[in-house]
Amino acid sequence: MATILSVAEVSPPHIILQKEAAEFARKMFEPAFKNINRLLEVFKNGQIEKRHFIKDLDWYKEKRSFSEKNDCFIESAVDLGAKAIQDCLENPEYLKNKVRYEEIDAIITICTTGLATPSIEARIMNKLPFSPHTKRIPIWGLGCAGGVSGLSRAYEYCLANPKAMVLVLSIELCSLTFQYDDLSKSNLIGTSLFADGIACTLVAGHDVKADKYSKKQAVPKVIDVQSTLMQDSLDVMGWDVKDEGLYVVFSKDIPSIVKKWLRPNVDHFLSQHGMAIGQINQFIAHPGGKKVLEAYGEALSLSNEKLAPSFEVLKEYGNMSSVTIFYVLNRIMRKVESANQWGLAVALGPGFSSELLLVRWEQL
């Protein structure tokens, strides 16, 4: 098993209210759609009130080259990623003792919204005093599923190295993928939904003395993980890579796919542990959007209470791709104080694919 010891969030500085984003979209997309008022209802109906962007709204009103946007990504990702790592290793909410940088065996970096070689964690290691022997494991291209996948890979790393401590750093600056000249409905939907965020999580192997660090009486331990790819579904979600950068692919069929495909997937996973969905106390759902969360509820027979943390994050932050699941996890870890509770993390991403992670809170 592996233990999740700490989570930290870092939100970019510019807060964009949803009504401001809707007015921005009206001016950008009105030439392409006669029914613009009807289409703009997506901004009102998505249950998002605000989001955080790396730049102020005026910055997006001009055409930007792929190079300019990617340079902005690298600079911001390094600065905010370093802060997320520092906050995670020193988080007084979860940790009674700080974790030293030299104690970290590996950094798993999750991203789908910018390109960097050397990768972001290498650049951060030139700013923070990590051991030069720290393993670097950058993972690119898993989109919204990337956060749960990163935790899963950290769990597997810790199974092989039970004395290890691993950071999962997730950085998504979705606003920098906005395409000024793309007047498609997919880009309009993306403009109403996606946002920027950074998160870092600390995972420790079985032989690490968690009580040396953790302030919590009960901590979530990863029990098992499952990755599933749906065949012949490459066009459901992802990017079209063009000269100007990344163009969003976002099928309107995602909620209906969730309803039909997710339940058998989850049931199969839980059955391997003699469990059913009704035994899950904490549902850690990636808030892909209002309709996606509603599809989770319908497919998995979940109450509004179990989906409340995901709706809360969606309302305050929008969809930050792979980062968003960590914001949900953080809220659930804050409130769970007792042992013997089961949690299930679920996220969907390009492929089309799902990532599942089963945890149990255990007494230290």
Side-chain angles (χ1 to χ4, degrees):
M1 291 190 291
T3 303
I4 301 173
L5 287 179
S6 178
V7 183
E9 308 168 3
V10 175
S11 295
H14 298 282
I15 297 175
I16 309 300
L17 300 178
Q18 192 70 335
K19 61 182 180 182
E20 296 174 317
E23 187 56 31
F24 169 85
R26 178 187 299 279
K27 293 177 180 177
M28 296 297 298
F29 291 91
E30 192 168 24
F33 298 105
K34 294 180 180 179
N35 60 340
I36 188 65
N37 288 330
R38 183 177 65 82
L39 293 175
L40 290 177
E41 290 296 310
V42 70
F43 286 82
K44 297 179 183 179
N45 298 334
Q47 293 191 4
I48 297 172
E49 292 187 358
K50 71 171 179 65
R51 288 172 281 164
H52 291 253
F53 287 2
I54 201 66
K55 296 288 188 179
D56 63 64
L57 205 53
D58 287 340
W59 191 86
Y60 304 91
K61 295 177 181 178
E62 297 181 24
K63 187 173 183 177
R64 309 282 177 176
S65 68
F66 189 15
S67 175
E68 180 182 6
K69 291 187 287 186
N70 202 65
D71 286 346
C72 178
F73 171 84
I74 292 173
E75 179 182 359
S76 301
V78 171
D79 289 344
L80 297 179
K83 177 171 173 46
I85 288 174
Q86 182 179 20
D87 290 352
C88 182
L89 296 181
E90 300 179 1
N91 192 339
E93 189 172 9
Y94 295 114
L95 302 174
K96 57 187 176 185
N97 293 307
K98 297 178 182 180
V99 178
R100 294 180 293 110
Y101 294 96
E102 299 84 12
E103 295 180 82
I104 301 302
D105 289 74
I107 305 172
I108 298 173
T109 305
I110 308 298
C111 180
T112 309
T113 51
L115 305 174
T117 304
S119 50
I120 297 299
E121 76 286 340
R123 298 165 192 260
I124 291 174
M125 286 174 65
N126 279 278
K127 297 183 65 172
L128 299 177
F130 285 99
S131 164
H133 305 298
T134 304
K135 285 82 171 176
R136 296 166 43 218
I137 309 171
I139 299 177
W140 196 91
L142 294 178
C144 295
V148 179
S149 179
L151 286 175
S152 298
R153 304 295 82 79
Y155 158 74
E156 291 164 347
Y157 185 97
C158 288
L159 286 183
N161 303 277
K163 296 181 180 180
M165 299 183 79
V166 179
L167 288 176
V168 181
L169 175 65
S170 182
I171 301 170
E172 302 289 8
L173 304 181
C174 302
S175 71
L176 296 178
T177 68
F178 174 74
Q179 294 295 341
Y180 181 87
D181 292 332
D182 180 9
L183 300 180
S184 67
K185 287 186 179 179
S186 288
N187 197 31
L188 176 64
I189 297 298
T191 304
S192 76
L193 180 62
F194 291 109
D196 302 342
I198 304 91
C200 186
T201 303
L202 175 63
V203 180
H206 182 267
D207 290 350
V208 174
K209 295 186 182 299
D211 57 352
K212 173 185 175 182
Y213 300 101
S214 181
K215 188 179 287 186
K216 293 285 190 177
Q217 295 300 309
V219 292
K221 292 184 178 288
V222 182
I223 305 301
D224 198 4
V225 300
Q226 177 178 284
S227 301
T228 307
L229 178 71
M230 176 188 287
Q231 291 294 318
D232 302 320
S233 60
L234 300 179
D235 58 348
V236 172
M237 184 189 296
W239 298 121
D240 281 335
V241 182
K242 302 181 181 181
D243 291 344
E244 297 82 7
L246 307 174
Y247 285 69
V248 66
V249 176
F250 198 64
S251 172
K252 61 181 176 57
D253 297 326
I254 292 172
S256 62
I257 292 173
V258 172
K259 293 176 186 177
K260 296 176 182 177
W261 181 69
L262 185 61
R263 182 58 181 260
N265 190 0
V266 170
D267 285 345
H268 170 74
F269 178 52
L270 294 179
S271 69
Q272 297 175 63
H273 298 273
M275 296 183 66
I277 192 67
Q279 295 171 262
I280 300 297
N281 309 102
Q282 307 295 335
F283 195 74
I284 310 160
H286 176 275
K290 175 189 173 185
K291 289 185 178 180
V292 173
L293 285 177
E294 290 174 343
Y296 279 139
E298 183 175 337
L300 301 176
S301 304
L302 298 171
S303 66
N304 291 336
E305 181 182 2
K306 284 189 177 178
L307 288 171
S310 297
F311 273 111
E312 177 189 343
V313 171
L314 183 67
K315 175 183 174 181
E316 295 294 325
Y317 298 96
N319 182 347
M320 300 170 285
S321 191
S322 66
V323 174
T324 327
I325 196 79
F326 296 108
Y327 280 52
V328 178
L329 174 63
N330 195 19
R331 279 147 187 78
I332 291 174
M333 284 179 60
R334 284 170 178 166
K335 74 175 185 178
V336 176
E337 298 291 345
S338 59
N340 301 317
Q341 293 203 48
W342 288 92
L344 180 68
V346 180
L348 306 171
F352 184 70
S353 61
S354 75
E355 295 286 341
L356 305 176
L357 182 139
L358 182 65
V359 300
R360 184 176 65 235
W361 270 262
E362 295 188 0
Q363 201 79 20
L364 282 180

